[in-house]
Amino acid sequence: QKEVEQNSGPLSVPEGAIASLNCTYSDRGSQSFFWYRQYSGKSPELIMFIYSNGDKEDGRFTAQLNKASQYVSLLIRDSQPSDSATYLCAVKQPDNAGNMLTFGGGTRLMVKP
Amino acid sequence: ETGVTQTPRHLVMGMTNKKSLKCEQHLGHNAMYWYKQSAKKPLELMFVYSLEERVENNSVPSRFSPECPNSSHLFLHLHTLQPEDSALYLCASSQDWTGTNEKLFFGSGTQLSVL
């Protein structure tokens, strides 16, 4: 059973702090990793993707991938109340040629003013 | 607005009803997906179409029947559903099915309640 695990939260951080969201996956052969943000009552939207070990930065967001330890994380610097949402980790499975993603259950982030 | 439109936004149906969910994408994408999002459960892939051909059926009960008449439109036909089928049904599209890092663009979803 291929699994993607996330702490459901809520993760509460004060405005301006760094929010750290973590995700672990079970299939060592997984290739690509995605972070989606889902506001309450809305559909998921892609924030970042990463496929190489190390860090990838985009504005206030940094994705970190460690394939040896099978985890991927998302850091949000200078957190804003508008960042309050559920963050979904998704992993592309390696055992077929298609765009099969397995999603984690999501971490709810609350940024308090 | 992601370029993926779903109708209706909300649907209440009885267990003996037949209804259809509609999805339309205006992005020129070649792959379309149906996902189910239940409370406190991860997003579950249901069906995938690539160039109007079904390429994935993720062990979904036959009371859910997808249809893809062209690359821009996707339907999910529902009949004799159960209360546990109540969930948010999300349509998504991506440029292709076999790309390296295919990004999913989601519609707003249909919130389905089965009574």
Side-chain angles (χ1 to χ4, degrees):
Chain A
Q1 178 78 3
K2 301 182 176 82
E3 293 185 347
V4 178
E5 301 287 343
Q6 296 181 256
N7 188 319
S8 61
L11 172 66
S12 183
V13 300
E15 183 175 358
I18 295 175
S20 178
L21 305 161
N22 299 312
C23 171
T24 60
Y25 58 95
S26 62
D27 194 327
R28 186 170 289 277
S30 299
Q31 298 176 343
S32 304
F33 308 85
F34 301 80
W35 282 101
Y36 284 82
R37 177 178 62 198
Q38 186 173 23
Y39 291 113
S40 180
K42 302 293 185 182
S43 58
E45 56 179 332
L46 181 69
I47 299 176
M48 293 189 70
F49 70 90
I50 186 169
Y51 55 87
S52 297
N53 272 328
D55 295 0
K56 179 181 179 181
E57 187 174 318
D58 183 2
R60 294 188 296 113
F61 298 95
T62 299
Q64 299 177 317
L65 175 61
N66 184 324
K67 289 187 177 181
S69 300
Q70 294 176 239
Y71 82 78
V72 56
S73 60
L74 179 69
L75 302 179
I76 307 175
R77 288 183 300 281
D78 188 23
S79 296
Q80 301 297 310
S82 58
D83 295 323
S84 298
T86 297
Y87 289 80
L88 306 175
C89 173
V91 176
K92 182 174 179 180
Q93 302 306 321
D95 58 358
N96 61 64
N99 194 30
M100 284 280 287
L101 297 183
T102 299
F103 282 83
T107 298
R108 189 158 72 95
L109 173 67
M110 297 173 58
V111 181
K112 299 194 172 182
Chain B
E1 178 60 50
T2 64
V4 181
T5 304
Q6 287 188 245
T7 55
R9 291 295 305 274
H10 302 274
L11 179 61
V12 179
M13 58 187 291
M15 294 168 60
T16 58
N17 291 159
K18 290 184 179 181
K19 297 287 184 182
S20 295
L21 310 184
K22 179 182 176 182
C23 177
E24 182 175 1
Q25 57 97 359
H26 310 276
L27 301 169
H29 288 170
N30 294 316
M32 296 187 76
Y33 310 71
W34 281 116
Y35 278 88
K36 176 183 178 182
Q37 189 172 36
S38 305
K40 301 187 185 301
K41 291 181 68 176
L43 271 168
E44 301 173 64
L45 179 64
M46 300 176 73
F47 301 103
V48 183
Y49 278 82
S50 176
L51 297 172
E52 303 153 44
E53 178 180 340
R54 192 191 305 182
V55 296
E56 190 68 32
N57 176 351
N58 204 21
S59 302
V60 179
S62 59
R63 58 186 183 270
F64 295 92
S65 175
E67 178 189 2
C68 187
N70 55 62
S71 60
S72 298
H73 293 85
L74 186 65
F75 295 89
L76 188 62
H77 304 299
L78 316 172
H79 63 98
T80 59
L81 293 192
Q82 305 297 312
E84 59 264 30
D85 296 322
S86 299
L88 179 66
Y89 289 85
L90 289 162
C91 174
S93 70
S94 66
Q95 183 62 58
D96 291 295
W97 167 239
T98 57
T100 302
N101 292 306
E102 288 297 332
K103 305 165 193 174
L104 291 175
F105 293 80
F106 286 89
S108 299
T110 295
Q111 186 65 55
L112 173 67
S113 297
V114 181
L115 304 179

